[in-house]
Amino acid sequence: MAVNLFFIPHQDDEALTFGAGIRNHLNVGDECHVILYTDGSSSNVVRQLNGQTKSNMHRKLLDPKREGYTPLDRTDLVRYRNDEFLRSCIALGLPVEHVHFVQELQDGTTTVEDCEELIREFTDRYHGARVKTFTDLGDNHRDHANMGAAARNLYRQEKIADLRLYVEPYNLRQAKKANRAVRVLKEKPETHRESVVASLSEYKKWNPALEQFAIGYHSVRKEIDAAIANPVSYYHKPY
C-alpha cells in the first residue's frame, strides 16, 4: 500500500482536478491524504451570496433575508467552504482523519518557499510518500503554480521520490503550449465513478437552512458541470 499526499490549494480543487486520480488510488487500496493549504477567503462568491452581484447559480440577485440567512462575512465564507470540502472528500471515499485543514497560508498570498516548507512538513511525517500537486505550467492561479514549482524544486533535490503534477482541465491547452515536450496523461475513474460525481455534487447543494450555500458552484459552475459529465484527471511527470 502506497501513501499519497495531495496538496490542495482551494476548496473544490480536490474534486475538479484530482477527483479521478484520488479515486483510482483508493480503488487499489492506497492511502490518500488531502492537505488543504489556503483558507479560500479571497473568493468573490461572498458578494453573490450577499446580493451585491448576480448569483452565478440562480441567475439573479439574491436577497439573504428572503432566502432565510444573514449576510456572510469572510469568516463565514471560510467555514462554509470548509464544510463543502469535507463533505466532498467524504463522498469521494476519504476517511475524515486523512483530511487535513492546514490553511496556514492566506488565499492568493502563497510563495514557493512557503509551499516547500509545507511539503517538507508532510513528507517528514509520511516518509516515502508520493506527492501530488498542481503543475506550474500554463496560466493557472498563483496558489496552484507555487506549489507545483515548490514540488519540482524538492524533486530535483531528491527530497521527493515520486511526483505527479496535475493539470486543471481549463488549463490543459495552456500547459501543453508552455512546454510541448511534456507528456500529459489522462485518467478516468476505473471504478466508483459515482463517488467522484457525488464529490463534485456536494458543491452544488443549496440549502441555507442547513448552511449549505453551493459556494463552489457559484464560483465555477461550468467547470463543475463539465467534470460531473466527464470526471477525469490530467497529470504529467516532472519536467
Side-chain angles (χ1 to χ4, degrees):
M1 178 189 70
V3 177
N4 302 274
L5 305 177
F6 288 82
F7 290 89
I8 311 296
H10 307 109
Q11 304 91 332
D12 71 28
D13 288 325
E14 81 296 339
L16 275 172
T17 299
F18 298 90
I22 292 172
R23 189 59 248 181
N24 281 340
H25 281 295
L26 293 173
N27 287 343
V28 298
D30 280 357
E31 181 175 312
C32 294
H33 296 260
V34 293
I35 300 102
L36 181 63
Y37 60 87
T38 83
D39 58 8
S41 64
S42 296
S43 172
N44 284 325
V45 169
V46 71
R47 292 175 53 80
Q48 296 183 48
L49 297 177
N50 288 345
Q52 296 167 292
T53 59
K54 185 185 292 186
S55 163
N56 193 32
M57 178 179 186
H58 301 282
R59 316 294 180 86
K60 65 179 183 179
L61 284 175
L62 293 172
D63 181 340
K65 184 177 181 180
R66 187 170 61 243
E67 297 289 344
Y69 62 93
T70 56
L72 278 58
D73 61 21
R74 293 288 172 178
T75 301
D76 297 324
L77 180 72
V78 173
R79 179 159 59 92
Y80 297 141
R81 290 196 76 181
N82 284 349
D83 180 63
E84 287 184 348
F85 181 81
L86 182 59
R87 287 189 278 112
S88 169
C89 289
I90 292 171
L92 194 53
L94 289 158
V96 173
E97 61 269 23
H98 291 175
V99 181
H100 305 269
F101 290 90
V102 179
Q103 299 183 290
E104 296 173 351
L105 308 176
Q106 185 180 356
D107 184 13
T109 68
T110 62
T111 67
V112 173
E113 293 73 23
D114 289 335
C115 292
E116 285 188 21
E117 183 178 346
L118 183 62
I119 294 174
R120 284 193 295 266
E121 175 186 337
F122 275 85
T123 52
D124 287 345
R125 188 186 307 181
Y126 300 98
H127 185 69
R130 301 164 173 171
V131 172
K132 325 283 187 178
T133 188
F134 277 112
T135 185
D136 56 340
L137 292 175
D139 186 24
N140 53 0
H141 193 291
R142 65 178 293 177
D143 294 335
H144 298 201
N146 285 344
M147 188 60 78
R152 285 201 305 110
N153 289 345
L154 294 173
Y155 179 82
R156 284 197 299 266
Q157 298 167 27
E158 299 183 347
K159 304 294 185 182
I160 298 172
D162 189 299
L163 173 62
R164 284 186 184 181
L165 297 160
Y166 281 72
V167 184
E168 308 91 326
Y170 55 83
N171 185 39
L172 188 59
R173 180 178 297 179
Q174 291 299 322
K176 289 180 176 179
K177 185 177 179 181
N179 190 330
R180 299 187 185 277
V182 168
R183 182 186 177 203
V184 177
L185 302 173
K186 176 181 178 179
E187 61 177 335
K188 294 187 175 184
E190 297 295 336
T191 61
H192 295 87
R193 178 185 184 277
E194 71 281 359
S195 296
V196 184
V197 171
S199 174
L200 290 156
S201 297
E202 289 296 332
Y203 288 101
K204 297 182 67 171
K205 289 187 175 179
W206 173 261
N207 190 337
L210 296 179
E211 298 185 334
Q212 295 175 353
F213 294 96
I215 296 169
Y217 200 62
H218 275 90
S219 176
V220 284
R221 175 176 56 85
K222 291 181 179 179
E223 288 82 356
I224 287 177
D225 284 342
I228 287 174
N230 182 31
V232 62
S233 290
Y234 300 96
Y235 71 90
H236 63 84
K237 292 290 189 175
Y239 61 92

